[in-house]
Amino acid sequence: MTMIDERTPITREGIIADLRRLADLAEASGDRISAVKALKLAWHIQRRAPTNPMPPSIDTIIAIGEHAAALASGFDPEAGAAIKAAVADLKACRMELIVAERENSTLH
């Protein structure tokens, strides 16, 4: 699977490929439910998601990260833990942003 770090660009095609690999691993281990979920998500991204989308909200990114962590944890605990850590960082940044927005709104 693709390593997530600041040097690796995350692309639509890379996400689809990673989801298909997760589906293959799930089916090989006998977990057809996870395989179907991963393939369904890959299909949805490939068929319905625009190639040049508007940036998603941070809440959407967090929700997708939580789902990805759950899928990855079943097959690669280290990757699942890395995704969970990234999601936790995003949640912390989101909370800091909310606090800063509240402080700024009280100044006006």
Side-chain angles (χ1 to χ4, degrees):
M1 288 212 288
T2 306
M3 290 298 296
I4 299 173
D5 64 17
E6 62 275 356
R7 296 168 293 180
T8 305
I10 298 174
T11 64
R12 180 175 179 254
E13 292 78 18
I15 292 170
I16 292 169
D18 285 348
L19 286 168
R20 288 185 175 152
R21 276 188 232 115
L22 276 174
D24 291 341
L25 289 171
E27 191 162 355
S29 69
D31 187 0
R32 289 185 168 221
I33 293 172
S34 294
V36 169
K37 286 180 182 179
L39 286 174
K40 186 176 179 181
L41 186 56
W43 180 87
H44 180 76
I45 290 169
Q46 186 173 19
R47 296 291 179 213
R48 297 185 179 172
T51 54
N52 295 319
M54 294 294 292
S57 71
I58 189 70
D59 296 323
T60 302
I61 293 170
I62 289 170
I64 291 170
E66 289 171 342
H67 289 295
L71 274 172
S73 293
F75 306 101
D76 188 353
E78 289 180 11
I83 295 170
K84 286 178 187 177
V87 169
D89 288 343
L90 287 174
K91 286 181 180 179
C93 290
R94 176 73 173 125
M95 293 307 295
E96 290 173 9
L97 180 63
I98 290 171
V99 170
E101 287 175 347
R102 286 184 185 153
E103 289 175 0
N104 286 339
S105 67
T106 59
L107 293 176
H108 295 285

